[in-house]
Amino acid sequence: MSQSTIQDIQNKLNNREITCVQLVQEKIEALNASTKNANNTILAEQALKKAKYYDKKLAAGEKLTGLEGIPFGVKDVYLLKGTISTASSNILKNYKSPYTATAIQKLIDAGAIPVCKENCDQFGHGSTNENSIFGATKNAHDDSKVAGGSSGGSAVNVAQGNTIFSVGGDTGGSIRQPAGYNKVFGLKPTYGRVSRYGLMAYTSSSDCVGPFANSVKDIATTLNVMSGKDGKDQTTVVSNAIDVDSFSTEIKPGTKIGVYKSFIEHPSLEPSIKASFNTLIEQLQSKGIEVSELDFFDGDTLTATYYIIALAETASNLSRIDGIAYGNRAMDKDNLASTYLDTRGEGFSEETKRRIIAGNQVLSVGYSDEIYKKALLVRKGIEAKFAKDFEEIDFILSPTSPLLPPTIGESMKDPLAMYLSDMYTVGFSLGGLPTLSAPFNVPNNVQITAAKGKDEEILRFAYAIEQSL
Ligand code: GLN
């Protein structure tokens, strides 16, 4: 496996083996030729214009540095000025971004070139990328299977090499699970490390911006660029730059990992995932890593807690999208009420409406104490348990999903089963913890999770595993 695709490509540009225009042209052609339905918009014109600029720099004898000249993809829930940002929804089908999201702007400022807006589940609502007005994204390795979700298009583009990296969004697993289904790296950073400004809000208290890439180093490099405090997002925190060049190929002696028994013993865990996960743990043990089995909340409690909070927040966040301030408006209605009703009725998908209705219900008088406030209390308990566990261990290892990628068309019939398939990812989201989904020898990847702020430690550990297994 290459140490860094970003570095390899930039070396080629600097050595004049390829021009930036050729590189971008190649990617645009590959995106157009792809049959995976991974993209909502391809940004050919703007991207080629930027490529010409970097070619001029090279022609003037300068070297490209940082992310200069590197083509990347953007999940279609980020605003990118001048482009249509749909969130894969009917209501925002024609919505033109008035400004650019902070994280995307930082990448552009570092020289990266956005080449596409990527297909995803509508407003991040889903685990299969089938909840999209553009249709399902197909799995990178099998056309009959789902790409995973919600950031399916981003994972598929990276797996196919059509983007060098892509920026997804992870609220309850939307980077980690599609990374698993398509066998690439995907990171959900610590909550607050990357600004959410310009990301369409799903669950503001757990939405995270993160990269997909083909190597640990590329994850670290792109994370460094996107991270940082932002006056436009009050939840952002200061973080140190990760020193990517000092990554060691040796696993640190004495590293302690924990495995949650309730995850591994869950009856819905696919046997092939369980077997290879256990093999990986044994391999790590043979390299001197200490492994302990820990108790944790069961998957059903985690899923219920996450979905109560997620649905409540999305009902509130999406109330602003009513065809008045934003989005397509149903016209020629007799009165204001029918304008609102038809706009939102036609503009949102069945799945998104289900979530808005359920979210409003758990927030309403008579239900909120019994349901929503209880979920907040359970969340506190989950956070406390993580804090306790990380006093003893460095990392928690777990599968990313209990299932192999489902066949397209299967999951939408049974939303509850789809929600339950998120049981391994949602708990870490509720805790705001950094988690890497890594394509080691486990179907659907393995998740490596650490305490808040320990993103660098995860990437160092994963790099050592990447290089030594
Ligand atoms: N599948 C989860 C959900 O539908 C997570 C989605 C996400 O992280 N955006 O809520």
Side-chain angles (χ1 to χ4, degrees):
M1 193 181 276
S2 162
Q3 293 253 322
S4 162
T5 316
I6 292 176
Q7 207 48 63
D8 293 348
I9 295 220
Q10 210 174 49
N11 290 344
K12 278 195 186 155
L13 291 169
N14 281 330
N15 298 336
R16 316 295 279 274
E17 287 168 44
I18 184 173
T19 68
C20 194
V21 166
Q22 282 167 342
L23 170 69
V24 168
Q25 191 74 52
E26 196 182 275
K27 296 301 171 201
I28 301 283
E29 277 166 20
L31 289 164
N32 277 318
S34 168
T35 54
K36 301 294 183 183
N37 197 27
N39 297 289
N40 296 349
T41 322
I42 296 173
L43 308 169
E45 213 177 295
Q46 301 94 308
L48 285 166
K49 204 166 142 200
K50 283 188 190 288
K52 280 189 193 135
Y53 168 80
Y54 291 112
D55 277 340
K56 269 196 198 137
K57 247 185 132 165
L58 286 164
E62 285 181 57
K63 290 274 180 222
L64 302 186
T65 58
L67 294 176
E68 283 178 330
I70 303 298
F72 77 107
V74 180
K75 183 179 181 181
D76 207 11
V77 288
Y78 289 98
L79 300 194
L80 173 58
K81 193 171 176 176
T83 68
I84 304 289
S85 298
T86 68
S88 294
S89 71
N90 199 22
I91 200 159
L92 296 183
K93 205 171 163 185
N94 310 310
Y95 179 69
K96 207 164 177 186
S97 318
Y99 61 91
T100 299
T102 299
I104 306 301
Q105 189 61 53
K106 285 183 162 201
L107 292 165
I108 294 171
D109 292 347
I113 303 176
V115 289
C116 53
K117 300 295 293 291
E118 296 162 325
N119 200 354
C120 56
D121 283 298
Q122 189 159 134
F123 295 103
H125 295 164
S127 313
T128 59
N129 205 146
E130 293 170 288
N131 177 25
S132 162
I133 53 155
F134 301 102
T137 301
K138 294 174 187 163
N139 189 285
H141 308 291
D142 181 346
D143 274 358
S144 69
K145 304 291 180 196
V146 304
S150 61
S151 316
S154 313
V156 168
N157 278 339
V158 170
Q160 292 205 299
N162 294 346
T163 57
I164 307 303
F165 69 94
S166 284
V167 182
D170 190 312
T171 303
S174 275
I175 291 177
R176 291 162 283 158
Q177 185 254 43
Y181 281 5
N182 298 284
K183 300 306 289 174
V184 297
F185 288 93
L187 176 77
K188 180 195 102 61
T190 299
Y191 178 77
R193 185 175 182 116
V194 180
S195 168
R196 291 177 288 117
Y197 181 71
L199 160 66
M200 293 180 199
Y202 167 15
T203 305
S204 311
S205 70
S206 73
D207 287 343
C208 288
V209 179
F212 288 93
N214 280 308
S215 69
V216 177
K217 285 201 168 183
D218 287 352
I219 292 282
T221 302
T222 50
L223 177 67
N224 271 345
V225 173
M226 290 192 283
S227 299
K229 198 151 175 62
D230 179 12
K232 296 184 182 119
D233 174 358
Q234 296 303 311
T235 61
T236 48
V237 294
V238 177
S239 53
N240 292 329
I242 298 169
D243 182 7
V244 184
D245 294 331
S246 74
F247 278 15
S248 160
T249 53
E250 300 292 318
I251 295 174
K252 208 162 125 195
T255 300
K256 294 190 180 110
I257 63 173
V259 174
Y260 286 142
K261 273 187 288 190
S262 55
F263 281 11
I264 301 307
E265 281 157 19
H266 200 280
S268 61
L269 175 57
E270 158 72 30
S272 65
I273 300 178
K274 183 172 177 170
S276 44
F277 179 80
N278 286 336
T279 307
L280 176 73
I281 297 295
E282 282 161 21
Q283 281 175 311
L284 293 174
Q285 239 164 346
S286 73
K287 292 193 177 294
I289 289 178
E290 281 176 42
V291 181
S292 37
E293 289 202 334
L294 304 170
D295 291 320
F296 195 53
F297 293 79
D298 64 68
D300 299 9
T301 306
L302 294 169
T303 315
T305 308
Y306 164 79
Y307 273 98
I308 291 165
I309 294 170
L311 271 42
E313 290 192 37
T314 203
S316 165
N317 277 325
L318 291 183
S319 64
R320 77 187 69 150
I321 301 183
D322 58 5
I324 307 296
Y326 307 99
N328 296 329
R329 188 186 310 173
M331 301 304 273
D332 302 325
K333 301 294 157 192
D334 302 338
N335 54 49
L336 189 60
S338 61
T339 302
Y340 279 123
L341 288 173
D342 289 351
T343 294
R344 286 168 63 83
E346 293 159 15
F348 293 123
S349 68
E350 287 306 304
E351 179 60 28
T352 293
K353 282 187 273 195
R354 181 168 22 250
R355 293 179 184 220
I356 293 173
I357 291 166
N360 281 321
Q361 174 148 13
V362 300
L363 288 174
S364 60
V365 177
Y367 291 96
S368 118
D369 282 354
E370 279 303 310
I371 304 177
Y372 177 65
K373 289 191 182 148
K374 258 195 197 142
L376 293 182
L377 275 180
V378 179
R379 184 181 198 170
K380 285 259 172 283
I382 293 168
E383 286 169 336
K385 174 72 168 80
F386 284 137
K388 193 168 155 277
D389 287 347
F390 284 116
E391 284 173 13
E392 311 290 328
I393 54 162
D394 302 302
F395 307 105
I396 296 163
L397 263 64
S398 57
T400 305
S401 164
L403 311 177
L404 297 172
T407 300
I408 292 176
E410 250 174 24
S411 310
M412 299 305 271
K413 293 180 209 145
D414 187 353
L416 193 60
M418 185 177 77
Y419 302 161
L420 282 167
S421 76
D422 294 334
M423 68 177 153
Y424 296 149
T425 49
V426 293
F428 302 128
S429 294
L430 290 170
L433 306 181
T435 308
L436 178 73
S437 172
F440 301 143
N441 290 331
V442 179
N444 298 342
N445 290 8
V446 56
Q447 281 186 104
I448 307 175
T449 306
K452 266 188 198 166
K454 304 245 183 220
D455 309 56
E456 173 161 0
E457 284 77 351
I458 293 178
L459 295 172
R460 284 183 179 279
F461 181 53
Y463 179 76
I465 301 178
E466 182 191 29
Q467 299 300 313
S468 64
L469 279 192

